[in-house]
Each structure stands twice: as C-alpha cells, then as structure tokens.
Amino acid sequence: MRIPIARTVAELRAAVAAWRQNGLKVAVVPTMGALHDGHLSLVRAALDRADRVIVTLFINPKQFNSQADLAAYPRTEHDDAAKLAPLGAHLLYAPHASEIYAEGFSTTVSVAGVSNGLCGVYRPGHFDGVATVVTKLFLQTGADLAFFGEKDFQQLHVVRRLARDLDIPIEIVACPTVREVDGLAMSSRNQHLTPAQRRVAPMLAAVLFEAAERLAEGAPSKSVLAEAGEAICAAGCDRLEYLELRAEEDLSPLCTADRPARVLVAAWLGNVRLIDNVSVSRWQGADQVYKETTAA
Ligand code: PAF
C-alpha cells in the first residue's frame, strides 16, 4: 500500500477538486517531514475529523536561521511516505521548491504581535517564514481543517492569527504534545542529540511540569522560573534562551497564573535547540499529565 504523492499545485488541486465534487471534507497536516509519533497523532486526529487528509512535506528554507541548520535537517521522504500509508492518509503533497517559491517570489506574510518575544527574539524572521509557507499551503490545498501540535505553541498562535486576519476559511485544530516515555517532547531535532544529551533532555519537561504545578498553586512566576532556570542549567543544558509564563489566549507575559497559562522554554543541548511548553491551567498532577501526554 502506497500513498499517492502530488508534486505540483495542479496535481494537488485536481485531487482536491475531485473530492469536493463528492462533497468530502478535507484536512491538511503541514510538516517538514522526518515524521515521528507526534506528526502521526496529528494525522490520526485529522482522519477523525475529515473525509480526506493531505499531509504536506516541504522543508521551508525561509524559516531556517542558518544554512547549516537547513542542510542538517533530516530528509526522509521515502520513510515518511511509508509511515503515512498504513494510517490511511490520502495524499502526500511534497512539492517541488518552485511550486512554493517560484522565481521572483517576493511576498512575505508577517504576523505582528504574537511573532514577537519567545522564539521570535532568538530566531529573527522565523515566523515570517512559517506564516508565508503556511498561508501558501492553506491556499494551495483549500483545506477545511488544519492540524498543528501544541509543542510549537507560538507557531500555533501565529497560524491562528494569520488565518483569522486573512479570512482564510480554515479551522485550525490544536493537538496535544506527544512525549517519549521519559517525558521528552517529540521533535525531528531529537535525533541530533548525542546519547549523553538524550539522557539529559527529559529534564526539560520534568522541570516544566514541576514549575507548572507551583505556578498553578499561585506561586509568583519570578521566583518559580528563576529556580526552574537554575535547575535546567544545573542538569546540563548548555544555554537557556527563555523560560516564561505566558497567557494561553494571547501569549501576553504573566506574573502569576491568574488565567489559563503556559510555561514555555527554549534551551540548547550542544548544537540542538529544544523547545517545550506545559499548560498551567490544566495542571492535574504529574502522574496525570505524563499519562495524558505519553499515551499516543
Ligand atoms: O511545524 C512545522 O513543521 C513547520 O513549521 C510547518 C508548520 C510545517 C511550516 O513549515
């Protein structure tokens, strides 16, 4: 069993038009490939809500901050296609680069506000690259629903905002972060960790969950996050970029979790940048959260 692959917008649109003629609901799961269980959980969620599911695979050069990072990004289309077929996804859209950025391409979608702060500080231009490619993927697929993981929480806000602002008729569906059994949030970048770094990496989630518990009890973010930051550095992280409490609804900075909130982190282990976040409002105790998030 193989998943059909579309390489051009014309092929993609022909498939979608045929589905539309039969009144089918279409979902899209945007990815850059190197699919792991987190991506597959998005595909399963999409299959639950739509009649046809398109998975896109495009390693978007505009969202990388360095050529080295772009060059090192895993390219595993064959394996990705093999993982998608048994799930029942209907189409893999793996376009030629020219189908996304034709010669002379000169438009940028830039989402003010939610793109600033957090990753926006450390990855200048990253969210413009994401917003531009996601807008193109939404318009090219014409999907009714799009599925994104909560692990990239700021990205989720950027995507929601652009769809709303540009009146793109698509429902953005957020899916919970999928974790390894030791709590590490799944990411295509985890495969770059050395065995020693991989042993250290789960401490990031452990520290976040502990901080979330204290913040949910009303402790001030200043002291909780200072201690959590120290714990992350003491555990062997090479550089902590940010560790912040932000409102779930609009990512505004918070001093206490007096409304639904997230605690978000970005940290480096060697050459690998890891991000993660945990809901403070949904805090129900460590065991419960670990069960929820590692169950996929
Ligand atoms: O989350 C990702 O993999 C990428 O940022 C996305 C949404 C596919 C855009 O390139």
Side-chain angles (χ1 to χ4, degrees), residues 73-232:
Y73 203 83
R75 286 159 172 80
T76 56
E77 183 185 306
H78 183 78
D79 291 351
D80 293 338
K83 286 178 187 168
L84 292 171
L87 290 186
H90 300 88
L91 185 68
L92 178 61
Y93 177 48
H96 303 302
S98 58
E99 296 290 305
I100 302 290
Y101 301 123
E103 216 186 309
F105 186 91
S106 39
T107 299
T108 299
V109 179
S110 188
V111 182
V114 288
S115 297
N116 304 330
L118 302 169
C119 289
V121 174
Y122 298 92
R123 303 193 65 188
H126 167 71
F127 287 119
D128 286 2
V130 170
T132 303
V133 81
V134 166
T135 302
K136 290 217 56 152
L137 294 171
F138 286 177
L139 297 176
Q140 290 184 344
T141 59
D144 304 294
L145 303 151
F147 289 74
F148 291 88
E150 287 184 345
K151 183 184 150 267
D152 296 294
F153 201 69
Q154 191 175 10
Q155 167 172 285
L156 186 60
H157 273 271
V158 169
V159 168
R160 282 208 173 115
R161 189 77 255 169
L162 78 84
R164 218 176 292 157
D165 288 355
L166 300 177
D167 297 317
I168 302 178
I170 192 162
E171 182 189 341
I172 309 301
V173 184
C175 298
T177 301
V178 177
R179 298 181 181 280
E180 305 286 356
V181 282
D182 57 14
L184 177 65
M186 288 195 185
S187 164
S188 309
R189 294 178 188 275
N190 292 351
Q191 59 188 274
H192 296 309
L193 294 168
T194 63
Q197 290 164 346
R198 177 63 189 80
R199 283 193 291 278
V200 170
M203 63 79 189
L204 213 53
V207 171
L208 279 191
F209 281 116
E210 203 187 313
E213 184 175 21
R214 294 180 59 200
L215 290 164
E217 287 162 1
S221 63
K222 199 169 171 202
S223 54
V224 173
L225 297 180
E227 284 169 35
E230 276 169 27
I232 288 171

Side-chain angles (χ1 to χ4, degrees), residues 228-251:
E230 276 169 27
I232 288 171
C233 296
C237 141
D238 295 297
R239 187 152 44 99
L240 179 62
E241 281 188 349
Y242 63 77
L243 176 61
E244 294 193 32
L245 180 67
R246 296 281 182 129
E248 180 116 19
E249 195 190 0
D250 59 3
L251 291 185

